[in-house]
Amino acid sequence: MNVHYSSKTDDWYTPQYFFDKYNKKYTFELDVCASKDNAKCKKYFTVQQDGLLQDWNGVCWMNPPYGRAISKWMQKAYESCKANKATVVCLVPSRTDTKWWHDYAMKGDIEFIKGRLKFGGAKENAPFPSAVVIFKPENLL
């Protein structure tokens, strides 16, 4: 069994204090991957709306599902930024050995998180390290 992928869920709700820290710096307008219960912004895309099919504009927060589809979310974040439409701040597992990390995360500004986050609703800290990847149009020229 691969311990890095051994969770019962791939949805990890962003801790409020953690979001607040980045919101203070970036003032988010859109949560691109949320539900009514865990949305961090007034404007957000739900699973039913499928954020991968929507246009991302402005300053966006992204805490995607951490399963196999994460590469699609990182690609969308990178491409939305590259099109000069969005700044996207991504809370992701620090999986530096994966293809999506090398294809997308390494093109952004990376902040490794010290320790392991305790995601909303969890009894224990995450079983993996986390990172924040920031895609800003001015940095992708």
Side-chain angles (χ1 to χ4, degrees):
M1 176 169 81
N2 185 336
V3 226
H4 297 290
Y5 296 96
S6 64
S7 176
K8 293 179 184 176
T9 181
D10 63 358
D11 290 327
W12 296 83
Y13 295 7
T14 306
Q16 190 63 47
Y17 77 91
F18 190 84
F19 173 81
D20 290 345
K21 172 184 167 185
Y22 285 90
N23 191 41
K24 184 176 181 180
K25 182 174 182 179
Y26 291 99
T27 313
F28 298 112
E29 302 168 76
L30 173 65
D31 187 337
V32 299
C33 188
S35 71
K36 182 181 173 187
D37 297 332
N38 71 8
K40 298 297 180 190
C41 302
K42 286 183 183 180
K43 184 177 177 187
Y44 59 93
F45 298 135
T46 64
V47 171
Q48 293 77 17
Q49 292 168 312
D50 193 350
L52 291 173
L53 300 177
Q54 307 299 323
D55 283 330
W56 298 5
N57 296 293
V59 184
C60 304
W61 172 256
M62 182 182 85
N63 179 5
Y66 288 5
R68 295 192 187 277
I70 197 168
S71 63
K72 293 178 184 176
W73 289 97
M74 290 299 285
Q75 179 180 2
K76 177 74 173 186
Y78 172 75
E79 290 176 353
S80 295
C81 180
K82 192 172 177 189
N84 208 25
K85 292 183 175 182
T87 292
V88 186
V89 178
C90 314
L91 173 57
V92 294
S94 179
R95 295 195 177 129
T96 60
D97 59 334
T98 62
K99 185 173 181 347
W100 65 262
W101 184 273
H102 287 265
D103 288 349
Y104 303 110
M106 289 181 63
K107 293 177 181 175
D109 295 331
I110 302 168
E111 297 178 15
F112 292 100
I113 307 306
K114 184 178 180 180
R116 297 201 175 182
L117 291 176
K118 186 173 184 178
F119 287 87
K123 293 179 182 177
E124 304 290 331
N125 290 2
F128 51 81
S130 299
V132 173
V133 177
I134 303 143
F135 295 114
K136 294 186 276 191
E138 62 269 21
N139 291 353
L140 297 183
L141 301 176

